[in-house]
């Protein structure tokens, strides 16, 4: 699956939780919240324009 990182240690990763796909939000490696939509990310102060996708080689 994909994973995105942003400024100031933010990380967003889609995961399966109880049969639904949600976005797991972490800050500096610590779990902060689960988001159900991209709009929910902004409620936690994450600027989606700053997120970049991490590609494993």
């Amino acid at each position: 699956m994909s994973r995105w990182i942003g400024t100031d240690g933010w990380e967003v990763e889609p995961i399966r939780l109880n049969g639904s796909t949600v976005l797991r939000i972490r800050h500096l490696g610590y779990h902060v919240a689960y988001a159900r939509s991209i709009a929910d990310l902004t409620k936690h102060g994450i600027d989606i324009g700053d997120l970049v996708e991490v590609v494993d080689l």
Side-chain angles (χ1 to χ4, degrees):
M1 286 203 142
S2 300
R3 184 170 62 105
W4 298 274
I5 58 170
T7 57
D8 297 329
W10 289 103
E11 181 180 334
V12 178
E13 179 179 22
I15 63 165
R16 297 287 292 173
L17 184 64
N18 297 330
S20 298
T21 301
V22 295
L23 300 169
R24 177 172 47 199
I25 303 170
R26 292 182 180 192
H27 186 249
L28 300 174
Y30 292 96
H31 173 77
V32 174
Y34 295 113
R36 296 197 181 274
S37 68
I38 299 296
D40 287 345
L41 295 177
T42 59
K43 294 177 185 176
H44 296 283
I46 299 172
D47 183 2
I48 61 171
D50 289 339
L51 296 176
V52 294
E53 186 173 8
V54 176
V55 178
D56 294 326
L57 299 176

